Structures are given as structure tokens and as C-alpha cells.
Amino acid sequence: MTRFFAWTAFLLGVLFFVLPLVGMTEFSLKMRRGEYSFDAYRRVFEDQRFWDTFSYSLILAGATIVFGVLLVVPTAYWVRLKLPQARPVIEFITLLPLVIPAIVIVFGYIRLYNTSSVLPLTGSALGTDFLLTMGYATLALPYMYRAVDTGLRTIDVATLTEAAQSLGAGWITILARIILPNVLVAVLSGAFLTLAIVIGEFTMAALLNRPAFGPFMQLLGANRAYEPPALAVIAFAITWGCMGLIQLVTRFSKHERAKV
Amino acid sequence: MAFLDLTNLEKVFGTNRVVKDFSLGVDKGEFVSLLGPSGCGKTTVLRMVAGFETPTSGSIRIDGQDVTDQRTNQRAIGMMFQAYALFPNMTVADNVAFGLKVKGVPRAEREARVIEMLQLIGLPDLASRFPFQLSGGQQQRVALARALAPQPRVLLLDEPLSALDAKVRVSLRNEIREIQRELGITTIFVTHDQEEAMSISDRIVVMNGGIAEQAGAPFEIYNNPRTRFVAGFVGTLNMFTAMVEDAERGLITVAGQRIALATGAIEARNGETVNLALRPEAIRLGRAVSCEVVLPATIEAVHFLGSVIRVRARVAGTVVALDTFNRPDQPPPPLGSTAEISFAASDVILLPA
Amino acid sequence: MSEAQLRRPPKRRLPVEWLGILPFVAFAMLFLIMPTMKIVIGAFQSPEGGFTLQNLIDLNTDSIRSAYWTSIKLSLITALLGCAAGFAMASAVVFGGLPKRVRSPLLTFSGVASNFAGVPLAFAFIATLGPAGLVTLWLKTEFGINLRAMGFNLLSFWGLVVTYLFFQIPLMILIIIPALDGLKREWREAAEVLGATGAQYWRMVALPILFPSILGTFALLFANSFGAVATAFALTGPQLNIVPIKLFAQIRGDVLGNPNLGYALAFGMIVITGLANVTYIVLRTRSERWLK
């Protein structure tokens, strides 16, 4: 009886999740009348804007990850080591982006850093790119911080630091050569999750008017029929790839640990 | 017929027969321990009595009523688990009252019973605490109160002491036994700790590989183990091989010494090798008055345990352990020295091959 | 040390330790707190810069009221359905006797699906349930069922609900499976042995223990769909009247004709997600008395 309900719930769920995936794949192959073809994909890949926007988003994702790691790892480390009393505040701040909608945050950016403000970031393309990177870092903050902090919990931060200090290591050395390698798996997980979030992000990029992959997809969706599902398949493959890489690094690290 | 009757119980998981033809009768008010190494089937027997596992064959009767196919929540039994089985979202009082609440016992009666139970376990002031605020020993006491509150017909204890530290373990086991006696509740206690089993049980069932190797009072099990496994599992044992000289008269030789067994005739052929066992406390250092068998030995190790000194000595090619009481005027023998050990022929346990 | 010295705190040294989190604090101030404050303050400012409640009062138009109402309804329904369906699937996998092999793929897939939101998700659903979508056509040709005639339109409220569930359900699964794993077997067995039925166990033990997790996920799912722009925008364009779409249009082109009304609109969003989270925190503290 229980098993029957369990299977029913599970299979209904699977159906719900599989159908859209089948739907988009099938639709994306229907460009040529009467037969399946990869024409839609060819059209997408022949479009220069696809490559431009995709590489733009990729670069921004890279910048976001680098900035996020440089910001989050030392902070999480320092809070664990020296400022445990600041933990609740820091954690509260890192969770704020889950509560404040992205559209509100970017609205604030536009009004705070417009051309007539003290810090006219939106005045130049580079400034806006920087602002967008900061926005993405904000979106990724809850995940990144959570991942790194969990990673730090599994190692004895204080002892490792004291050991390194007793051998004459400075702060930079400790962070780069002791702490970072130990939380590498957590950092990589956070990085791939950030990539998955940033690569197709629409709201911030569209409102800051930057040529990112998300707005490009939306634009294509408004004007074409067969390319959008092809883009959806590509985006899904990227997301899947990111999650697969997270699993891979996690499994790899377990393997490594098992060997020791 | 016994109060709790397990008849020819069998349990098969896949191709693995975990419990084989297990029968046991427990009298009303009796405290019976199932003792054995992990994987011997003792926990499975207990879980079948609780109704968490359905026997592949055989039957379970409580007070004359066949409960083999009854659901767990119909069986009116109480159970204590290894650890952390208290409901973490309820106070101590709510935990204890749980069984009464699901039975629909009115509030006033429930509250009175909770107070009574908490007094029984000696924690009357902790009613409004949550489990995480209690020590391990306190948690297990509350678990006992919770199990007893609905007045179960049978109490099942699934290694309830194994997660506690040594001191608490001893005091709590005595407390459990006292409460059990006071209430006269029929109890099955599962453990892998032979000392624990022997100290509190009316009767012990030693299990191995899914079967009951021997059942009996602790004294009986310890002094007259019927199988080699029981002898080895319960207490420490020294093993010798001996040659049968005259089976009809019970004469054997160990290291050139002839021993006349107290049992008289033995079931073996002359010239055959048999296994002898001796408890450490049956072997004396030096020639003791009542000990007719004397063997030369070399002292290999001395462990000072306090009231008891355990000496390891090499005798006839094997190392034996023997216990002597500590006496301030008699320091233990130095390592490497030669000595004599002695034991009485009547203490020799002859094990089946 | 004299008593007076003891009572008076020693002269403050420069708190060197706090310097360590200075970069983080600066980042949070510049790109999280201050932008948000700008919105909050702007909501109470007149175009001339003085204090006013007029912006908030101006929110009280039919169109904006209904946008808020639709958004709240959408978020509540998708959070509720997401929690229910996610819980059903998670408990099917954890307790339902399903083969162990399905568990890890389900978790991986949930990780993917919960992040597969936004524009591509809208495309996937258009290709499936849209006017020319796979399922729509299949139902029409095989069974003669015309979804459109039956009142279903993907580009409508319920279409949005179905689409949002694609990331809401997996999020619930991801969070609740570890919580279900945390339910100890002994609790269930202890309840059974004490005479409780399965339903009593769930009502008195399991659900109270899970309640904080479920509640937290509910709040998260609520905020998740309340602030979502991309999926709705790609699905329906600017026509659907929900708050984030309205705000999007306002930021792009000041469709409300009053820049400060935009602040008020955004402020309303913060208030609602904030309220959802305060409710969550209050309920959680009350239901977690039994935790450390």
C-alpha cells in the first residue's frame, strides 16, 4: 500500500520533470518540415551574437567566481578563527540575497550608481560590467558562503593556523597554501554553482543593459520559434554539466581521503 | 506454558538464515538475557518479539495469546533502545506520557502516572526538560520510564547500556534490575557484554550463528559451559590439549602429568586428543593444598588489576592466564622467573572436540 | 586591579580583529545594504527630496493592488504545491521502499532542476505545453483533448504555476531529504511499540520534528517565486500583471510615470518577503524550543 503510493508519487514527479525536457528537445529538432534535424542548433551556433553573449557571460562568471572566492574564503576563515561573535551577523547578511529579490537589488544599483552619483559606475561599459559582477557575487553569496563555511567546519582551523604560524608562515601563505587547499572541494562546488546561476542570468543583465547570454536568449525567444528550445537544451546541458562537476569533485575528494 | 513463549522461530533475510529454530520460554517476572557476539541473531529475536520483523516460521505467544501476526502497536510491550530513542521534540513528561496518550488515557490519570514513573527512576524534577538537556544515563532512565508507563506485558531491552560510559553503565544496570524486580515484569535483555548479562540475569541464553548454544543460570553457564563457543565467549578460558589414557576411568595426561577427571568415564577413545579448559581463577600460583595437579611454568607477563593480579605463564607450550588475589605481603612474581602452577582435577572442564 | 578599574571597561584598543572582515563589510554595504536602503528611503521621498507617504498611498490603485495580490497568490500556491509535491517525492524515496538506486539520481537531478530557472525554463514549457507544444499536440491528436478549450493557457497564472513548480519542487526535495534522513528509525519504532499508529507517529513525532525544515523551505520557496522575473518575462512578456514584471517595466521605461512610485513598488516587495521571513523566524523559534 505504502509502496504503491510511493511509486505513484515518484513516477508522477518523474513524468512532470521529464516531459518538459522531452518537449524542448523534440521541438528543437523540428525546424525542418517533416523530419528531425539539427537545423535549429546550426542556426544558433552560426549566430555571432550567441558566441559574443555566451563568452561575455562566461567571462563575467569567471570574474564573479574569482572575486567571490577572494571575498568569502578569507572572511569565513577569519570569522571562524577570530570573530566567532560576528558569525550570526555575517550569516544573516549572506542570507539576505535569498530574501531581497534580485530585481530590487539591481534597481538600487541603477539609482545609486547612476551617472549623476558620486560613483558613476553605470556611466561606462567597464563600470557597468564591474557592477554586474558585484551583483552576481551578491546572488551567489549565500551558496558560496554556505559551501565554504561547511568546508571549514570539517577542518580544525585554529590548530592548522597555529601549526603554520609556528613554522613561520604569514597570513597570505596560510590562506593560500593551508586553508584554500583544504576547502578546495567546497570552493569548487560553490564555483560551479555560481557558474550555473550566472551563465543564463537575465534580470540584472537586462536592466543594466549588458550584452549577456540571458537577455540574448530572451530576445531570440521573442522573435523565433525553433531556436529557443535549442537554447534551452544547451542551457540545460550547461547546468547539468555544472552539477556533474560538483559531484565529480566531491566524489574525487572522498576518494582521496579514503586513500589516506 | 511459559508467559512468553517463542517456538521454533526462524528468520531468513534473502539467503541468510539469521535465526535458526530458536525456542525459548520466559516465565512471568523472569529476567532473561540473550548474549552473543554481533550478528548472532539476538537482536533479530528481540525485534521479532517486538513485531518489527516477521518470523519466517515459528510462533510467538504472550500470556497464552498468539501474537505472531499481530502488529507492533497491538502487542502491549515496552522497549528500550540502544540510545537516543527519546522523542526530541517532547519534554521528559510528554515522552513518558506518550504511550498513555495514544491509548486515550485521560489527562489527569496520565499526569499522575508520569509523576509516579519519574519517581520510580529517581528523576522527579526533570519533567519539563527536553532530551538534549539530559545526560546519556538520564536519557536512558527516561526511556525506561516511557517504556514502563503503559504497563506493558513484556519489557524488551535492546543493548540499552552500550552507549553509556562504564560507571553509569554499572549503576544503571543495577537500577534497571531493581525496578524490574519491583514491578515483576517479564524482561528480555539483549547484550554482547557477558559481564553485564551475568550480573543481572535470572537466566542467560548464549547465542551463536542464529542458534541458542546454551541456556541456563549465569552460575551454570559459567561453570558448566556445554560447548566450546560458550566456554570461550563467557569469561576467559585457558585451553590445553590432553591425551586420553583410559577413557573408562577418565584418565588423561597433560604435559606428562596424569589427571583423573572428576567426571569419571569420558566419551573418547584411548590415545585420542581432547580439549581441556580451565578458568583463570581455578589455577593457582605455586602448590596449593587442594590442587593435585602441579605443572612447571615460566612467568611471561603480570597485569596488576587492583584486587586481582592476572599472571600469564607459559605451561606445556601454551600461555595460560591465572588470577590471584592481591596481598600486600606477597608481591607478584618477577618476569621470566620459573614457578609452579596447580589446579584441582575437579575444576577441569572437558570440552567436546 | 581596583574595583573601579574592574567596573569601567578598559580603554578600547583598535579592534584589529574586526579589520579582517572589513572587505566583506565594505562589499555588503556597497552592493547589498546601501542599494536596498536607497530603495527604502526613496519610497518615502517626494521627487523634491522631502519626506512623504504619498508614494505608498499611490500604490493603492487597482492595477498595482491586483499585481501584488496575483504575486502573493502565485508565490503561496507554488510554495505550497512545491512543498507538498517535493515532500511526497522525498518521502517516497526515503520511506516508500523504492530501490536505493533512484535516490542519488533524484538528488542530482534536483540540483540541476532547481537551478534550471529563468529564460530557458520558459522555452522548455512553451515547447511542451504551449500552443504548439509536444503535450498539447499529443493530447489533441491522440485523445481529442483541447487544452486551450478547457481553459488552460500556459501564458496565464496557472501556466506560470506549473512552470515555477519545475524549480520549486526540486528545491524542496534537496532540502527535505536530509531532514527526512535525520528521522531516526528508533523514533518510529519507539512510537509503534508504545501503541501509536503510523498516523499518530507522523502527527505527534515526525511532523513536529520536520516542521522547522518544512517551514524554512516554504519561506524560501515563497521568496524564490515572489522575486522571479526571468521565467515570467520570457513566458508572457510584459503583459502578465505581477509585481516583479511591473517593476521590471517601470525600471526600464518608467511606465508608472513617477520614478518614486517605482521605489514604493520595490519597497513593497521587500516588505512582503521580509514579512514572510519574519513569520518564518518567529514560527521556527517557537517550534524549536527542543533544540539547542
Side-chain angles (χ1 to χ4, degrees), chain A residues 39-213:
Chain A
D39 285 6
Y41 294 89
R42 195 174 318 127
R43 283 277 187 85
V44 168
F45 290 135
E46 276 168 0
D47 192 335
Q48 187 54 40
R49 287 174 305 167
F50 169 81
W51 295 108
D52 289 348
T53 57
F54 188 76
S55 48
Y56 175 84
S57 285
L58 211 55
I59 291 168
L60 238 61
T64 307
I65 289 165
V66 171
F67 177 81
V69 171
L70 289 180
L71 181 74
V72 165
V73 174
T75 305
Y77 164 72
W78 195 255
V79 168
R80 280 214 167 254
L81 187 67
K82 300 269 181 176
L83 285 174
Q85 68 270 33
R87 246 181 94 98
V89 183
I90 301 281
E91 268 182 9
F92 176 75
I93 292 175
T94 61
L95 289 177
L96 276 181
L98 293 180
V99 181
I100 306 170
I103 188 169
V104 174
I105 296 176
V106 74
F107 187 25
Y109 288 0
I110 291 168
R111 291 300 158 91
L112 200 58
Y113 301 112
N114 62 22
T115 41
S116 57
S117 72
V118 194
L119 203 63
L121 285 174
T122 54
S124 68
L126 202 65
T128 318
D129 289 344
F130 173 74
L131 197 57
L132 189 54
T133 309
M134 293 302 112
Y136 286 166
T138 311
L139 291 188
L141 187 62
Y143 308 101
M144 197 58 143
Y145 195 91
R146 198 42 75 91
V148 171
D149 200 46
T150 315
L152 284 174
R153 196 185 312 155
T154 59
I155 60 173
D156 188 347
V157 173
T159 311
L160 279 181
T161 305
E162 278 164 20
Q165 276 175 328
S166 73
L167 295 169
W171 288 117
I172 306 272
T173 317
I174 293 176
L175 273 172
R177 308 213 20 205
I178 312 287
I179 302 301
L180 194 60
N182 270 301
V183 294
L184 195 62
V185 173
V187 167
L188 285 175
S189 302
F192 292 128
L193 198 60
T194 307
L195 179 62
I197 295 169
V198 168
I199 198 78
E201 201 280 337
F202 170 75
T203 313
M204 284 191 162
L207 288 176
L208 287 175
N209 244 327
R210 295 307 295 153
F213 190 47

Side-chain angles (χ1 to χ4, degrees), chain B residues 140-184:
Chain B
Q140 286 304 68
R141 258 172 251 217
V142 174
L144 177 66
R146 182 179 68 177
L148 292 173
Q151 289 170 309
R153 298 185 288 182
V154 175
L155 180 62
L156 306 177
L157 308 173
D158 184 9
E159 308 216 20
L161 307 168
S162 60
L164 306 175
D165 40 308
K167 274 221 170 115
V168 185
R169 199 147 60 193
V170 172
S171 67
L172 189 55
R173 82 180 179 210
N174 295 334
E175 227 171 293
I176 289 178
R177 176 59 158 152
E178 260 169 52
I179 291 173
Q180 184 269 340
R181 271 216 187 96
E182 197 180 317
L183 301 178

Side-chain angles (χ1 to χ4, degrees), chain B residues 47 50 52 72-73 77-79 81 83-90 98-99 101-102 130 132 146-147 150, chain C residues 184-198 200-201 204-206 208-209 289-292:
Chain B
R47 293 176 62 80
F52 298 139
T72 298
N73 56 12
I77 46 182
M79 183 155 173
F81 298 83
Y84 316 118
L86 291 182
F87 305 129
N89 58 321
M90 296 180 199
F98 185 87
K101 201 169 169 185
V102 296
F130 283 99
F132 80 88
R146 182 179 68 177
Chain C
K184 294 209 162 54
R185 189 182 73 172
E186 283 88 348
W187 295 339
R188 179 175 204 126
E189 291 182 347
E192 262 182 75
V193 132
L194 289 164
T197 60
Q200 280 172 322
Y201 160 73
M204 297 165 76
V205 182
I209 291 173
R289 274 176 313 135
W290 46 273
L291 279 180
K292 253 168 267 190

